[in-house]
Amino acid sequence: MDPLIRVEGLKKLFPVRKGLLSMIFSRKAEYVHAVDGVSFTISKGEIFGLAGESGCGKTTTGRLLLRLVEPTEGSVYFEGEDIFSLSGRELMRKRREMQMIFQDPYKSLDPKKTVKDIINEPLSIHKIGKNRREKLEIIYEMLEAVKLTPPEDYLFKYPHELSGGERQRVAIARAIILKPKFIVADEPVSMLDVSIRASILDLMIELKDKFNLTYLYITHDLSVASYLCNKLAIMYLGKLVELGATLDLVKDPLHPYTKMLISAVPVPDPTYKREEIRIRGEVGNPINPPPGCRFHPRCPFATDKCREIEPDFNEVKDGHFVACHLFQS
Ligand code: ADP
Ligand code: MG
């Protein structure tokens, strides 16, 4: 399959804001290593999952891919075009093709606007639809696509009159109205009631097929990721530690961190035995990430080498990459 997105050596360091005293006593500028040298490709039509504990750099990666933040280093190619080299009209054209669905539908929708105005906004910005009737037709079509029906019941409602699930459907309608090719969905169901999560995920799968979408699906929840995604990348402290087809990764996780995350996911079959690695310790500090392998302070298998030398991201099996000294040749 053709790559839609190719990410190469992407880095984003945020300067740490310091108080006056620490500025006087320490001259050294400090940075949060939010994304610290990440490379991967997303093929057309894929649901590419990016998973890891909170603070590991998932949202920042998603925002970089849509150029909502500028990188410190590295490139993102969208259909072969480096998005960080675009400006003006070219950038505007690319922006139409990539959209984001945010975690919190309570914050991402303007409380003072009606559903109709919220969904209409991208049409106005990109001057789509010849007249009001044509715009309204597109809005109707989108409300139907996200199953807010009949559309006339929703058009003039405000976000506070909707449930969490309905709000996220409005946010999805707004994201797909320009018929984008690529969507970054940043934990789109984590704020929703467990009972409605599956229906939103199923809607996303349906829309992907209907509108030929490709997703980057960000989550801290491996059970959701393994349900939805065909590829999975595991992130730890700004770096990818493992990447592969979801089935390979879930059945045969290689990195101790991936094993640890998968051990925490409940298995429906109680007779099923798998290697258990307990989650221990806490995510390290992204301002001063540990030397060597960043996971070594939490890793039950860490050796001196792991404490000193950073492992390469190696392809161990076909399409299955891991950054761990246990798997270096
Ligand atoms: P995740 O989505 O995996 O929880 P984020 O990408 O939000 O992780 O954050 C990664 C790290 O970068 C965190 O330590 C976070 O505090 C920091 N960070 C994120 N955005 C900013 C910002 N705008 N300024 C400073 N630090 C930030
Ligand atoms: Mg996040």
Side-chain angles (χ1 to χ4, degrees):
M1 268 192 278
D2 302 335
L4 181 72
I5 304 281
R6 189 156 57 84
V7 176
E8 268 179 21
L10 199 57
K11 272 193 192 182
K12 179 67 188 180
L13 310 185
F14 292 107
V16 177
R17 257 189 249 149
K18 291 189 183 176
L20 189 61
L21 274 182
S22 49
M23 278 201 309
I24 294 168
F25 289 111
S26 128
R27 293 270 160 90
K28 216 173 115 230
E30 285 190 313
Y31 296 94
V32 179
H33 296 242
V35 178
D36 208 1
V38 160
S39 304
F40 57 90
T41 59
I42 305 179
S43 301
K44 280 186 187 143
E46 218 162 50
I47 306 185
F48 186 103
L50 184 59
E53 286 162 289
S54 174
C56 69
K58 304 178 299 293
T59 296
T60 306
T61 304
R63 289 166 57 82
L64 285 163
L65 262 54
L66 303 186
R67 202 176 165 181
L68 299 175
V69 279
E70 296 295 314
T72 308
E73 261 176 47
S75 317
V76 173
Y77 298 92
F78 185 104
E79 294 183 318
E81 214 171 1
D82 183 355
I83 60 164
F84 298 121
S85 70
L86 302 177
S87 59
R89 198 177 287 204
E90 284 178 321
L91 181 60
M92 185 88 166
R93 178 176 51 79
K94 265 291 171 263
R95 285 245 150 91
R96 260 183 76 168
E97 299 183 344
M98 32 198 215
Q99 296 292 325
M100 187 143 181
I101 300 168
F102 297 91
Q103 180 172 14
D104 188 348
Y106 293 86
K107 282 204 199 123
S108 66
L109 304 180
D110 184 341
K112 294 187 292 293
K113 287 192 173 144
T114 61
V115 167
K116 175 173 163 275
D117 291 340
I118 290 167
I119 302 183
N120 182 55
E121 198 172 53
L123 297 180
S124 303
I125 293 173
H126 291 275
K127 301 193 174 61
I128 291 168
K130 280 199 240 35
N131 48 40
R132 273 164 70 182
R133 218 187 99 199
E134 205 172 297
K135 282 188 183 149
L136 198 60
E137 264 169 30
I138 303 175
I139 293 169
Y140 260 69
E141 188 199 329
M142 286 303 128
L143 284 172
E144 269 163 5
V146 299
K147 312 225 156 41
L148 291 175
T149 51
E152 53 273 22
D153 284 3
Y154 290 91
L155 282 177
F156 300 104
K157 285 211 166 121
Y158 288 90
H160 74 265
E161 297 173 288
L162 305 173
S163 70
E166 286 171 334
R167 284 178 208 219
Q168 203 54 306
R169 285 171 196 265
V170 172
I172 293 172
R174 180 180 59 183
I176 61 172
I177 197 162
L178 298 172
K179 307 272 161 72
K181 293 179 180 163
F182 179 55
I183 290 186
V184 172
D186 190 0
E187 312 217 26
V189 300
S190 64
M191 308 283 287
L192 303 179
D193 202 87
V194 175
S195 61
I196 56 169
R197 286 183 189 174
S199 64
I200 298 285
L201 296 176
D202 288 341
L203 174 70
M204 288 182 60
I205 294 173
E206 191 187 315
L207 295 173
K208 173 185 119 52
D209 295 336
K210 190 166 173 182
F211 296 107
N212 293 318
L213 302 168
T214 302
Y215 293 128
L216 174 75
Y217 190 88
I218 295 175
T219 181
H220 64 272
D221 183 343
L222 264 187
S223 56
V224 170
S226 45
Y227 172 72
L228 195 71
C229 305
N230 34 348
K231 267 229 194 114
L232 210 48
I234 307 293
M235 199 166 182
Y236 187 77
L237 274 183
K239 289 192 177 282
L240 295 191
V241 297
E242 188 160 355
L243 163 68
T246 304
L247 279 179
D248 291 341
L249 208 122
V250 171
K251 257 197 349 228
D252 187 20
L254 301 175
H255 198 285
Y257 181 58
T258 313
K259 289 184 182 170
M260 205 170 92
L261 291 179
I262 288 176
S263 300
V265 177
V267 195
D269 176 4
T271 61
Y272 179 74
K273 284 261 175 292
R274 68 179 171 195
E275 191 184 357
E276 293 270 332
I277 298 187
R278 270 178 203 283
I279 298 229
R280 57 175 213 178
E282 288 185 2
V283 183
N285 181 351
I287 297 173
N288 274 312
C293 169
R294 290 185 179 188
F295 184 63
H296 85 253
R298 298 173 82 186
C299 183
F301 311 108
T303 63
D304 286 344
K305 194 177 180 188
C306 308
R307 289 181 261 276
E308 285 154 21
I309 302 167
E310 193 178 322
D312 294 328
F313 200 45
N314 275 351
E315 189 166 11
V316 176
K317 293 178 217 162
D318 209 13
H320 194 157
F321 293 79
V322 65
C324 176
H325 286 302
L326 295 172
F327 298 94
Q328 309 274 297
S329 43

